[in-house]
Amino acid sequence: MANPLDYIEEKHPQGFTVRYEATELLFEGQSEFQNVKVVQTKGFGKMLLNDDLVMVTEKDEFVYHDMIAHVPLFVHPNPKRVLIIGGGDGGTAREVIRHPQVETCVMVEVDQMVVDACKEFIPQTAEAMSDSRVDLRIEDGVKFMKESEMTFDVILVDSTDPIGPATPLFGEEFYEDVFTRLADDGIVVAQGESPFYEQTMQKKLISLVKPHAKHFAFYNFHNMTYPGGLWSFLFASKKYHPTKDFNARRVAESGMSFQYYNAEMHTASFALPEFQSSMQKAESYGKTCE
Ligand code: AG3
């Protein structure tokens, strides 16, 4: 064993640390943007960490990737052009291209090292990046949004936490460009952080989409490895309502099978705990998220 390990930790400024038993450090590198690690854990399969924050594990990545992709793709009636900002592990692209209407999935990831490390060690997610419908560009997502002339039906912001390279992805200018590149009936879904630990950031995310979207709402999921377990995405659209414009029959008719997503979870995930729901209502004044 090249680099034996006893454990790997994700430390939190809120005063707790999550420790995973691990056996081997499969990869470690320092890119221009961040520290990248792939670790063989005992209980979660291979794990990708960026700046020592857990991004993906083989055991539970299906939850996040189901929910970032299938919620908007089953609301939009004909999602042909999809854009992923970030998502260098490939898991989001994998779920996007399962939808037969998708003609092209442009993926803009800033860090080549993340893509290379995942291609070598986590094919479970990375494999999708070799599909002919995936147009992978190693480029700064903020710059791409500013300079691109393409229009997208669905834009998925699959980012890390708002520290390090992802900071501008939680900014006003970026969202102005996102909505410029979004079709009139387009949908944006963004990685929405923890409802328990990141309430300030969730308020900020609402303020970023509110000026541009007709409908917007957080939806939640539970996974095994993001701090607190409960985590959010933010749905925003110039046209579609995330549950009223969702036709559950389409899920059944698709013939697709999932490990986390299903038609009931789709609707239920928009039911928020009271503290988050009242925050959302308070921050949305004048605009509807209902
Ligand atoms: N995106 C990262 C979600 C945030 C995780 N945060 C944390 N562990 N503190 C995941 C990318 C999956 N494609």
Side-chain angles (χ1 to χ4, degrees), residues 10 12 53-56 64-65 87 89 91-92 158-161 191 193 225-227 231:
E10 173 165 337
H12 281 275
L53 302 171
V54 177
M55 293 293 124
V56 159
Y64 180 99
H65 295 130
D89 54 84
T92 299
D158 184 5
S159 72
T160 56
D161 292 345
Q191 193 276 99
E193 293 292 311
T225 52
Y226 295 165
W231 208 262

Side-chain angles (χ1 to χ4, degrees), residues 65-273:
H65 295 130
D66 269 13
M67 292 302 277
I68 192 173
H70 302 309
V71 169
L73 289 168
F74 276 115
V75 172
H76 197 290
N78 193 16
K80 288 193 174 134
R81 293 146 304 167
V82 178
L83 170 67
I84 301 169
I85 298 290
D89 54 84
T92 299
R94 181 191 64 203
E95 295 307 312
V96 165
I97 59 174
R98 293 180 65 198
H99 290 256
Q101 311 98 302
V102 173
E103 288 169 2
T104 173
C105 174
V106 178
M107 212 188 120
V108 183
E109 165 61 51
V110 73
D111 199 341
Q112 179 83 57
M113 188 179 280
V114 172
V115 172
D116 291 345
C118 291
K119 280 193 169 165
E120 187 167 354
F121 297 104
I122 317 185
Q124 180 177 316
T125 54
E127 211 166 56
M129 291 187 281
S130 313
D131 189 279
S132 62
R133 283 185 293 160
V134 177
D135 173 5
L136 172 64
R137 301 161 187 223
I138 302 297
E139 200 181 321
D140 176 10
V142 175
K143 192 162 166 273
F144 174 88
M145 279 320 323
K146 189 150 279 324
E147 292 170 1
S148 169
E149 287 176 357
M150 298 168 83
T151 304
F152 296 96
D153 302 312
V154 173
I155 299 181
L156 306 176
V157 187
D158 184 5
S159 72
T160 56
D161 292 345
I163 40 173
T167 312
L169 300 182
F170 293 77
E172 240 170 76
E173 222 182 309
F174 175 68
Y175 273 91
E176 270 164 31
D177 297 334
V178 164
F179 280 92
T180 307
R181 302 271 54 97
L182 193 67
D184 289 341
D185 67 343
I187 299 171
V188 182
V189 166
Q191 193 276 99
E193 293 292 311
S194 161
F196 291 123
Y197 297 114
E198 297 294 341
Q199 290 168 17
T200 309
M201 193 43 73
Q202 293 208 328
K203 285 185 191 169
K204 178 160 188 205
L205 278 167
I206 290 181
S207 77
L208 296 174
V209 302
K210 190 166 65 176
H212 311 285
K214 178 163 181 226
H215 298 293
F216 54 89
F218 278 108
Y219 62 101
N220 290 344
F221 63 89
H222 287 88
N223 80 0
M224 300 164 82
T225 52
Y226 295 165
L230 186 68
W231 208 262
S232 306
F233 286 114
L234 181 61
F235 175 107
S237 174
K238 296 180 188 175
K239 180 168 179 187
Y240 298 116
H241 187 283
T243 55
K244 291 179 189 153
D245 290 316
F246 166 63
N247 178 356
R249 251 182 316 152
R250 262 185 66 197
V251 179
E253 283 164 12
S254 75
M256 290 161 73
S257 61
F258 310 97
Q259 282 181 272
Y260 190 87
Y261 180 83
N262 59 34
E264 290 75 28
M265 285 303 294
H266 181 119
T267 306
S269 68
F270 287 89
L272 306 178

